[in-house]
Amino acid sequence: MTRSTRRVVAALTASAALLLTACGGSDDSKDNDKIAGADAGSGKSASPSSSTPADGTDRPEIKLPSDVKLTFTPERAGDSVKDAILRDNADMIRALNMAIVAGDPQLPALEFYTEGEGAVAARDWAKSFKDAGWTVTGTVRYFDRNVKVKSKDSAAIGYCADESRGFSRDVKTDEIKRTKVTKDSYVAYSAQLRKNKQGVWELMKMTSTRGATGCQP
């Protein structure tokens, strides 16, 4: 794996939403609300998590178990191009979580939203969970999402992730790992996107800054 690919893998820890050594929460009032379903067992029902686009592109259905909660703000920017980018970015993150839950690094839904270096990194990250015998659970909040359109088929998106309520779970034992919330539970992300021939904004590259000042509560 190249140095640049390793950087993307590290950056995709937030896209994976819930870290292998994820941060847990205290009861401090500064923390987010209690995780919905974080203490549930392995028999969780799945529900559709992707949006329904109006551009006519046949996108894959994305389903996540009830104990995996991802929130995105804003969901829309009031501009059709930026709205499409926000939607596809959110669905890429959902697809990566779906790949981890399914134990399938080559999940078609994940490949649908990634390309090139981004695709390699996403597959490697999902595989690292599978190899470790872990899955994900809990809630991750993505906020302050800002889109910059560079051209008709090139854009960038930056956002913060609050991983303080994201956890890893042992597939065999259902044991959930929790650690103390620190400044590193909050991460700033910057992603490069490209619009393909089908009109999908695919992840090409991503960088991150863990403990970023601008993302702290």
Side-chain angles (χ1 to χ4, degrees), residues 39-117:
D39 295 317
S42 59
K44 309 170 189 70
S45 60
S47 59
S49 299
S50 59
S51 55
T52 303
D55 60 4
T57 302
D58 186 16
R59 285 170 166 77
E61 183 178 32
I62 300 173
K63 292 185 177 181
L64 292 171
S66 59
D67 66 316
V68 178
K69 305 291 185 181
L70 309 178
T71 65
F72 301 89
T73 55
E75 293 184 346
R76 295 178 177 83
D79 173 88
S80 60
V81 174
K82 291 183 178 181
D83 287 352
I85 293 169
L86 289 170
R87 177 197 64 215
D88 287 348
N89 168 257
D91 279 347
M92 182 279 295
I93 294 172
R94 293 183 181 110
L96 183 51
N97 279 267
M98 183 179 174
I100 293 171
V101 170
D104 183 2
Q106 294 183 313
L107 188 77
L110 179 57
E111 295 182 345
F112 187 87
Y113 288 105
T114 60
E115 183 60 44
E117 190 174 302

Side-chain angles (χ1 to χ4, degrees), residues 137-170:
T137 189
T139 297
V140 171
R141 180 173 62 98
Y142 297 91
F143 60 100
D144 288 350
R145 299 201 298 158
N146 293 291
V147 174
K148 180 179 180 180
V149 179
K150 299 180 178 180
S151 69
K152 65 179 182 179
D153 60 0
S154 177
I157 182 170
Y159 52 92
C160 294
D162 172 4
E163 300 175 351
S164 63
R165 296 291 181 172
F167 302 88
S168 57
R169 177 171 61 82
D170 189 291

Side-chain angles (χ1 to χ4, degrees), residues 5 23 34 56 65 74 77 98 102 144 167 169 187 192:
T5 300
C23 294
K34 183 179 180 181
M98 183 179 174
D144 288 350
F167 302 88
R169 177 171 61 82
V187 192
Q192 301 298 317

Side-chain angles (χ1 to χ4, degrees), residues 119-140:
V120 172
R123 287 195 301 269
D124 287 349
W125 186 246
K127 185 176 183 298
S128 71
F129 275 79
K130 180 180 180 180
D131 292 347
W134 289 88
T135 186
V136 294
T137 189
T139 297
V140 171

